[in-house]
Amino acid sequence: MPASQHTRSQILIVGGGSSGGVLAVLLSELGFEVGLVDTRDPTLPFTPDSRAFAIVRGGWRVLDAAGVGGNLVNKAEPLLSMEAHDRNGLLPPAASMFGVEDLPDGVTEGEPLGYMIEVDLLNQAIRDRVNACTAITQYAPETVTGLEVGDSGAVVTLDSGKSIIADLVIGADGVGSAIRELSGIKTLGWSYEQAVVAATVQLDWPHHGAARQWFQDEGPFAILPLTENRGNLAWFRKEKAGIATAKLSQADLEAEVNQRFGDLAGPMKVLRDPLAYPLRLRLAEKLIAPRVALVGDAVRRVNPLAGQGFNLGLKDIAALVEILVESRRAGLALSDGAQLETYQRWRRFDGVATALAMDGINRTFSNSSALLSPFKRLALTVGSTVGPLRRALAAQASADKPGLPRLVRGEPLEALIG
Amino acid sequence: MSKNSLNEAPEGLSSPSIDPEEVSKFSRIASEWWDPKGNFRPLHKFNPVRLTFLRETIVSHFGLDPRAIRPLEGLRLLDIGCGGGLISEPMARLGAQVTAVDASENNIKTASVHAKSQGLEIDFRAGTAEALLASDEPPFDVVLNMEVIEHVADPETYLTDCCGLVRPGGMTVVATLNKTAKALALAVVGAEYILGWLPRGTHDYQKFLKPEQITDWLDAAGLECEPAQGVSYNPLGDSWSLSGDTDINYMVVARKPA
C-alpha cells in the first residue's frame, strides 16, 4: 500500500492498559503526536481485577506527572512499613523488612514508601485521563494484525483494515505482546505452578499502613493495606488450589481465610469476589527492535510478591519519555537506533535483577525442605537486621537512587523540555 | 533534485541526480551509515551530545526560543563534509534550511536517499567549500564543520574558505580531534584497531590539529573564537559528555562580527 493511504502518527502505542495509558498521556502532553491502539472497547467497563498494587513513590511521581496521581489521592492508602514473618516460627516475631525510618539519607522523613491502590481504580483513573487528552488518537477496539518496518516508518495494520505509519511503535501490550512477537523478540520464562488468590477484605484489627507477609510452606500470604481499614489479600497457592479457591463463594472464602489466617490478621470480612492469577516469570531478550520499543509487562512479567511489575513499567515509561525528549531536542529521529540502545541498556538490568530477586525470595521462603531451612532463616535474618541492606531494599522500593529517570526522581514534566 | 539544478550548478558543485537503479545501492550504503552498530557507531554514540551542544549554541547566538520544537526555523545552515547526513538531518528536523556538501558523490547520493525516506528537505550537493565560495551562493547564518578538517589536504586554506561562507553576524562550529597522544590512542588505536569502531585508515595522526591552530586560523579570517569545548568518552557508561578536557575531541565556536 502506498504511504499516502496510511494514517500517520509520530508515535503509535499499542496497548491501552495502565502502562500504555500513562505513556500516551505523558508523550501527548510533551507535544508528540500519539496514537493509542487497544483491544478493549473504551466505552465498556474493564474486566474486574481484584488485585491491588503497591506503587512506590518513584512510580507515584510518574503517575503525578501524567496527572493521574491527583485523582487517586483519597483512594490510595499510604504504605508506611513492610513486614515479613515466618509462619513456621523460625524467626523472632514481627521482623520488619523496612519502613519509613530506613529511608536513605537525604530523603524526607515521613514520606510514605509508596501507596496501595486497587487496580480497578487505577485503571479507571488512567483511562479517564487518556480520554481527557483529546490530542491522543485512539484506535479501539482494535487488534494488531501486522507490523512492517521500513525506511520511512513502521506500518501497523489493524483487524478493521486500517493501517497506521509511525516513526516509532511502542509495545505496551502486556505479557503476550503482539508487537514483541511481530518484532521477532524472543522471551524466556517459566511457570511457578503457583497462583495468587487476590481478594479485598474488611479488617477488624487496624493495619497501621503496614504490608504484612507471612511465609509458609505453600507460599506467602500477604495483607496489603487499603483505605477504610480494608486489606487486599494476596494468597499464594499451588496453581490448581489457587484457581479452586478463587471459585469459592464470598462466604466460603471468608470462612477459609478466617480459619487459616484469623490468628495472624484478626477477623476478616470478604468484600468482593476473589480472582486467581497464575504466577509466571517471563523476560524479553531485548527491549528494542528497529522502530520498536517495549515497556512494562511486554518486557517482563515478574512475580508480584512485592507489587514490582507495574513499578518497573513506570520506570520504563519515564526512561523512554526522557530519551524521546532528548532525541527530539537533538533533532534525531525518534527511532534513532543509538538512542533506543540507550533505553535498552538503561532498563534491561533493572527488570532482570528484580525478577530474579523476587524469584529468589519466593523460592527461598516457599520451599520447606530441611536442606533449605537454614538458608531460609538466614535470608530473613539478613534482610531484617542488616542496616545497609535494609536501606538498599528501601531505596530500591523507593525512588532516589542516582541514575534513575528524571520523572522518577520527581522532576516535573515541563523540566524535561526546558 | 531536477536535472535543471544540476545544469545550473557552478563548476565543481553538482546536485545529486540519482538513477532509480542506483537508489537501492545507495539505500544499502545509507543503512550502513545509519546502522547504530555498524562502522559509524562512534558517530551515533557521539551524536546526541554534539547535536544538543550545536542546538544550544545556535539558539543562544541568534537569541532563539530554547523550548521550541523547531527552534532553527528560518536559519540558513551549511553542513560541510556531511557524509551520510548524520548532522544535516537533525539540523533540518530542528527547522534549519540545510545545504549539505560533501566531496564524495557517493556520500551525497546516499545521504539524499536517506533524507528523502525521512521526509526531510535538504539541499545536498557534491562539491567543496572552495567551489561553493566561488559560486554566487549567498553566505550562511551557520556553517558547520564537523569532523572534516582532519581529513583535508590543506586545512588552513580550507578553513579560511569556510569562514568566507559565514555571513557577517553569523557563526561557525569546527569540531575535530586534538593532536595528542590520548586522541591517537582513542581515535586511531582504540576506535580503529582495538574496538573496530571505524574502518582502519580513517584517521591520519599527522593531520590532527591542536585547538590553538584552529583558533589562530579562525582569528586570521576575522572571526571571534570561544574557548574550545571538550568532548570526553566514558568507557564504563559507553557514553560521551561535554567536558573541559579537550585532549581528545573538541569543538570551537566562532562568530563573525556583524
Side-chain angles (χ1 to χ4, degrees):
Chain A
M1 202 185 288
S4 57
Q5 292 178 15
H6 304 302
T7 310
R8 206 163 231 299
S9 185
Q10 204 178 17
I11 298 172
L12 187 70
I13 300 169
V14 176
S18 39
S19 292
V22 170
L23 185 56
V25 170
L26 289 171
L27 291 174
S28 177
E29 293 281 299
L30 286 163
F32 293 96
E33 285 168 38
V34 178
L36 182 62
V37 180
D38 197 39
T39 51
R40 289 159 286 204
D41 184 336
T43 61
L44 297 178
F46 287 101
T47 315
D49 191 320
S50 60
R51 293 172 299 169
F53 287 158
I55 298 177
V56 294
R57 57 185 157 165
W60 203 263
R61 288 167 177 164
V62 180
L63 291 177
D64 272 338
V68 173
N71 297 339
L72 290 172
V73 165
N74 298 323
K75 298 168 182 166
E77 180 69 19
L79 181 58
L80 302 175
S81 66
M82 296 179 79
E83 294 172 7
H85 308 266
D86 190 332
R87 187 82 212 248
N88 301 330
L90 290 168
L91 278 173
S96 173
M97 278 180 86
F98 49 85
V100 175
E101 69 279 9
D102 292 314
L103 291 175
D105 298 338
V107 171
T108 322
E109 292 284 332
E111 197 184 344
L113 286 165
Y115 291 86
M116 290 303 311
I117 184 78
E118 289 150 270
V119 172
D120 283 347
L121 298 177
L122 177 71
N123 283 341
Q124 193 57 52
I126 293 170
R127 177 184 274 181
D128 291 346
R129 189 71 188 90
V130 169
N131 289 338
C133 283
T134 49
I136 299 172
T137 309
Q138 296 193 49
Y139 303 91
E142 286 276 18
T143 303
V144 171
T145 55
L147 169 70
E148 198 176 324
V149 174
D151 285 346
S152 49
V155 176
V156 170
T157 44
L158 305 176
D159 58 355
S160 64
K162 278 194 198 113
S163 64
I164 303 143
I165 185 164
D167 294 337
L168 180 69
V169 175
I170 300 173
D173 46 349
V175 65
S177 170
I179 293 301
R180 186 186 63 215
E181 306 296 317
L182 290 166
S183 304
I185 298 174
K186 295 192 175 67
T187 61
L188 54 99
W190 53 87
S191 166
Y192 294 92
E193 291 167 356
Q194 277 187 313
V196 57
V197 180
T200 302
V201 299
Q202 184 66 54
L203 297 170
D204 186 47
W205 298 355
H207 59 49
H208 298 300
R212 295 189 177 86
Q213 294 174 14
W214 289 271
F215 292 99
Q216 49 183 1
D217 291 346
E218 192 184 15
F221 172 77
I223 298 182
L224 308 165
L226 295 178
T227 53
E228 295 160 349
N229 204 43
R230 291 172 307 141
N232 190 257
L233 304 186
W235 180 10
F236 291 67
R237 307 207 68 183
K238 295 252 184 320
E239 189 157 351
K240 279 183 187 161
I243 290 165
T245 303
K247 286 182 181 154
L248 294 176
S249 69
Q250 288 187 14
D252 287 349
L253 179 70
E254 193 168 306
E256 181 93 15
V257 294
N258 277 295
Q259 193 221 324
R260 284 175 180 253
F261 306 110
D263 59 326
L264 305 172
M268 289 169 277
K269 181 175 166 46
V270 174
L271 297 174
R272 60 178 280 181
D273 286 337
L275 288 163
Y277 301 85
L279 294 191
R280 292 195 173 89
L281 184 112
R282 199 155 179 194
L283 292 171
E285 288 183 347
K286 295 192 296 176
L287 280 71
I288 57 168
R291 293 194 182 273
V292 169
L294 304 177
V295 297
D297 283 4
V299 174
R300 66 187 93 64
R301 167 165 280 185
V302 299
N303 183 334
L305 191 57
Q308 286 293 295
F310 185 53
N311 289 292
L312 287 169
L314 290 171
K315 280 204 256 178
D316 295 342
I317 288 166
L320 188 56
V321 163
E322 192 170 324
I323 283 170
L324 292 175
V325 168
E326 186 189 79
S327 296
R328 180 175 67 182
R329 192 174 165 70
L332 292 165
L334 299 182
S335 58
D336 184 82
Q339 290 286 92
L340 292 184
E341 292 237 320
T342 302
Y343 166 66
Q344 169 164 273
R345 204 172 46 243
W346 199 355
R347 293 302 306 149
R348 177 143 69 175
F349 180 68
D350 195 7
V352 174
T354 303
L356 296 181
M358 290 297 116
D359 195 43
I361 288 173
N362 192 35
R363 282 172 192 238
T364 306
F365 291 116
S366 302
N367 194 317
S368 59
S369 89
L371 185 67
L372 274 181
S373 285
F375 294 102
K376 200 159 133 176
R377 177 187 237 151
L378 184 67
L380 255 187
T381 308
V382 168
S384 59
T385 61
V386 180
L389 181 62
R390 288 166 70 188
R391 275 191 289 278
L393 280 169
Q396 174 67 33
S398 64
D400 298 281
K401 283 191 303 182
L404 283 170
R406 292 165 66 183
L407 290 176
V408 173
R409 293 199 306 256
E411 289 190 39
L413 201 53
E414 311 82 65
L416 294 189
I417 314 177
Chain B
M1 284 297 149
S2 67
K3 281 265 159 64
N4 279 344
S5 59
L6 177 67
N7 295 337
E8 283 163 13
E11 203 177 336
L13 270 179
S14 67
S15 297
S17 165
I18 306 173
D19 182 331
E21 283 176 16
E22 284 192 304
V23 167
S24 69
K25 172 181 149 198
F26 290 111
S27 298
R28 274 199 306 280
I29 303 175
S31 61
E32 270 169 44
W33 267 98
W34 290 89
D35 176 2
K37 292 176 191 154
N39 277 341
F40 299 98
R41 180 173 183 274
L43 292 181
H44 286 283
K45 301 294 299 179
F46 201 35
N47 236 358
V49 170
R50 60 181 185 164
L51 288 170
T52 305
F53 175 78
L54 290 177
R55 173 194 169 114
E56 284 168 4
T57 304
I58 297 168
V59 159
S60 121
H61 177 86
F62 293 100
L64 306 168
D65 177 5
R67 294 171 63 92
I69 289 176
R70 291 166 60 84
L72 310 189
E73 203 96 54
L75 289 183
R76 289 183 72 244
L77 182 148
L78 174 64
D79 180 15
I80 301 180
C82 65
L86 267 55
I87 300 273
S88 312
E89 285 192 12
M91 293 298 121
R93 265 193 210 93
L94 293 177
Q97 186 192 330
V98 178
T99 301
V101 172
D102 199 287
S104 153
E105 186 101 14
N106 278 357
N107 278 353
I108 286 299
K109 288 181 178 174
T110 300
S112 303
V113 167
H114 193 269
K116 195 161 183 227
S117 76
Q118 304 295 299
L120 296 170
E121 288 283 334
I122 295 171
D123 180 6
F124 284 105
R125 303 190 203 173
T128 61
E130 191 186 357
L132 199 60
L133 191 63
S135 75
D136 53 3
E137 184 71 35
F140 294 85
D141 298 304
V142 182
V143 174
L144 298 182
N145 204 314
M146 310 298 286
E147 322 295 334
V148 180
I149 197 164
E150 70 270 23
H151 301 289
V152 304
D154 177 356
E156 184 178 1
T157 306
Y158 165 77
L159 196 60
T160 307
D161 286 347
C162 290
C163 291
L165 291 163
V166 183
R167 76 155 164 87
M171 59 172 287
T172 188
V173 182
V174 181
T176 189
L177 290 160
N178 204 342
K179 192 163 188 164
T180 60
K182 250 164 122 179
L184 175 71
L186 188 79
V188 182
V189 182
E192 291 183 25
Y193 288 84
I194 299 174
L195 298 171
W197 277 352
L198 289 170
R200 289 191 186 183
T202 301
H203 290 107
D204 174 359
Y205 180 67
Q206 294 309 314
K207 288 187 175 174
F208 288 10
L209 296 159
K210 291 194 174 296
E212 306 83 67
Q213 183 67 77
I214 302 275
T215 51
D216 280 354
W217 288 335
L218 288 168
D219 284 344
L223 274 68
E224 295 161 359
C225 296
E226 287 187 8
Q229 169 71 59
V231 187
S232 296
Y233 177 66
N234 166 15
L236 283 180
D238 188 22
S239 58
W240 293 87
S241 56
L242 293 182
S243 78
D245 178 1
T246 59
D247 279 358
I248 296 171
N249 210 289
Y250 63 91
M251 299 186 271
V252 177
V253 177
R255 292 138 212 281
K256 190 176 242 185

